């Protein structure tokens, strides 16, 4: 029983997995970069025509897996203070990540916890498109289109991210996190436009506007790509601006 309680307490406080904050952030950025690049590539008509429907669907599906991996890692980052409250030196110190937390007042955590299930919906929709294109005739192929539920969750996540860096309509041109948040919001809007444009009309069985659907996916993916690239310099700027953590020595503790 004591061993069980100890394991339960360790799970609540943090996992046995320890990573360097800087490495985790770099991993998140590159996973998003690759995922967004694959989505953008899959949306280029010339690429789809060159490789065929099945290969194009594989491109989307693999891209969605990168998105989900990045989103999960970002959720771990958001709910682990040791992954974000760092300076130039402590960013390279291994710390345990928390696999579970409930932080409803933390807007960064709210952004991450709503984004992650959104990526899961994209996993499902891209896999469905892959299966369909692998089984139907070439002339009957269907393009992948953003899932309505996934796009809605992405919009919610982007709104929380904007609120995390300031007010919803604040203007902070010198803040890289502000640019990242708004690029993700614009990308989410494009994905939603694409999802709506790809609604299948019951009378004809065709999309409302296939061209708008493809363009929305491409533009949205490019916004996500630029936002992911900016995560790398944004992290460097943040850790340089952070005050060095003071050691918890006897004199410091006595001062409290």
């Amino acid at each position: 029983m004591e061993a069980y309680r100890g394991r339960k307490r360790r799970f609540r406080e943090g996992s046995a997995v320890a990573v360097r904050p800087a490495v985790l952030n770099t991993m998140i950025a590159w996973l998003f970069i690759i995922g967004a690049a694959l989505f953008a590539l899959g949306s280029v008509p010339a690429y789809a025509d060159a490789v065929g429907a099945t290969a194009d669907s594989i491109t989307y599906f693999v891209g969605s897996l990168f998105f989900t991996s990045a989103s999960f890692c970002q959720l771990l980052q958001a709910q682990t203070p040791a992954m974000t409250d760092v300076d130039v030196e402590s960013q390279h110190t291994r710390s345990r990540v928390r696999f579970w937390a409930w932080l409803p007042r933390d807007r960064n955590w709210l952004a991450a916890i709503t984004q992650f299930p959104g990526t899961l919906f994209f996993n499902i929709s891209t896999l469905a498109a892959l299966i369909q294109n692998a089984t139907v005739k070439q002339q009957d192929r269907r393009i992948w289109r953003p899932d309505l539920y996934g796009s809605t969750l992405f919009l919610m996540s982007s709104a929380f991210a904007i609120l995390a860096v300031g007010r919803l309509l604040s203007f902070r041109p010198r803040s890289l996190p502000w640019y990242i948040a708004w690029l993700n919001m614009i990308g989410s809007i494009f994905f939603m436009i694409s999802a709506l444009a790809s609604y299948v009309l019951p009378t004809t069985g065709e999309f409302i506007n296939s061209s708008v659907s493809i363009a929305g996916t491409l533009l949205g993916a490019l916004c996500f790509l630029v936002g992911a690239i900016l995560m790398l310099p944004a992290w460097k700027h943040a850790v340089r601006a952070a005050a060095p953590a003071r050691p918890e020595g006897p004199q410091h503790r006595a001062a409290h």
Side-chain angles (χ1 to χ4, degrees):
M1 179 62 72
E2 289 300 324
Y4 170 76
R5 289 175 179 173
R7 288 195 300 270
K8 186 176 181 180
R9 183 169 57 253
R10 286 195 297 272
F11 178 79
R12 195 166 54 239
E13 294 174 353
S15 71
V17 179
V19 298
R20 295 182 177 89
V23 171
L24 179 61
N25 189 80
T26 301
M27 183 188 308
I28 294 169
W30 275 106
L31 287 171
F32 273 131
I33 288 171
I34 296 172
L38 289 174
F39 267 60
L41 178 63
S43 303
V44 176
Y47 172 79
D49 292 337
V51 302
T54 301
D56 191 46
S57 297
I58 292 175
T59 302
Y60 279 122
F61 179 61
V62 174
S64 76
L65 295 180
F66 275 97
F67 264 124
T68 300
S69 300
S71 182
F72 178 70
C73 291
Q74 194 166 52
L75 176 59
L76 297 181
Q77 182 189 54
Q79 63 193 24
T80 308
M83 293 295 111
T84 53
D85 298 337
V86 296
D87 54 32
V88 174
E89 295 183 1
S90 61
Q91 67 172 324
H92 301 297
T93 302
R94 288 182 177 272
S95 299
R96 294 186 302 175
V97 296
R98 298 170 63 185
F99 280 94
W100 168 250
W102 178 249
L103 307 170
R105 296 184 180 181
D106 186 331
R107 290 170 177 171
N108 284 313
W109 181 81
L110 289 172
I113 198 66
T114 51
Q115 175 183 252
F116 179 61
T119 64
L120 296 179
F121 278 114
F122 288 134
N123 292 157
I124 296 171
S125 59
T126 53
L127 179 59
L130 172 58
I131 294 173
Q132 184 180 34
N133 282 327
T135 56
V136 301
K137 295 180 179 179
Q138 183 72 12
Q139 62 266 27
D140 295 328
R141 70 181 184 178
R142 296 295 182 185
I143 62 170
W144 174 83
R145 69 266 192 192
D147 182 89
L148 183 63
Y149 298 112
S151 298
T152 300
L153 288 170
F154 266 38
L155 282 171
M156 293 172 59
S157 173
S158 300
F160 283 129
I162 291 173
L163 292 174
V165 297
R167 292 176 299 177
L168 187 61
L169 298 179
S170 62
F171 182 64
R172 303 179 62 186
R174 296 184 179 181
S175 170
L176 285 177
W178 182 84
Y179 280 110
I180 294 171
W182 271 104
L183 280 167
N184 287 335
M185 172 59 82
I186 296 171
S188 298
I189 292 173
F190 276 126
F191 263 38
M192 178 58 77
I193 292 173
S194 180
L196 295 174
S198 61
Y199 176 76
V200 178
L201 296 171
T203 54
T204 63
E206 299 294 331
F207 297 148
I208 291 178
N209 193 315
S210 180
S211 298
V212 171
S213 179
I214 295 173
T217 302
L218 175 60
L219 294 173
L222 290 175
C223 287
F224 293 142
L225 175 61
V226 176
I229 293 173
L230 289 179
M231 288 180 64
L232 298 171
W235 175 269
K236 292 182 179 179
H237 183 271
V239 296
R240 288 172 182 171
R246 291 185 297 175
E248 192 74 9
Q251 294 181 350
H252 180 66
R253 287 195 299 267
H256 290 75

